[in-house]
């Protein structure tokens, strides 16, 4: 599966960072660290995270859709 989805395993809150890490081939810890550090900067990072949480399908829904 190459698409962007929230995986079942490796989640901490919603799986957004784990999904981004899988999609782009980097460590989930690295993506989480970048997400936390970016929240220290001014901007809508938290809102973007919430939007991704709502918009990204879970792994089950993504697998059902791609079959």
């Amino acid at each position: 599966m190459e698409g962007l989805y929230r995986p079942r395993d490796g989640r901490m809150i919603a799986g957004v960072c784990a999904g981004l890490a899988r999609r782009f081939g980097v460590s989930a810890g690295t993506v989480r660290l970048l997400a936390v550090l970016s929240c220290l900067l001014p901007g809508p990072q938290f809102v973007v995270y919430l939007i991704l949480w709502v918009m990204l399908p879970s792994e089950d829904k993504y697998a059902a859709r791609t079959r």
Side-chain angles (χ1 to χ4, degrees), residues 9 23 25 33 40 49 53 59 63:
D9 57 334
R23 174 64 179 95
L33 179 64
L40 298 175
Y49 185 89
W53 186 350
E59 185 174 9

Side-chain angles (χ1 to χ4, degrees):
M1 290 186 225
E2 291 185 21
L4 187 55
Y5 59 90
R6 295 180 297 119
R8 279 178 287 198
D9 57 334
R11 289 184 178 188
M12 290 204 86
I13 297 175
V16 173
C17 291
L20 289 170
R22 283 189 182 186
R23 174 64 179 95
F24 296 109
V26 295
S27 165
T30 302
V31 175
R32 289 180 184 121
L33 179 64
L34 290 173
V36 169
L37 290 176
S38 74
C39 286
L40 298 175
L41 301 171
Q45 293 85 339
F46 185 70
V47 175
V48 170
Y49 185 89
L50 292 176
I51 290 170
L52 287 172
W53 186 350
V54 171
M55 298 296 291
L56 291 180
S58 65
E59 185 174 9
D60 300 331
K61 290 181 182 177
Y62 179 79
R65 186 180 57 164
T66 57
R67 289 182 189 179

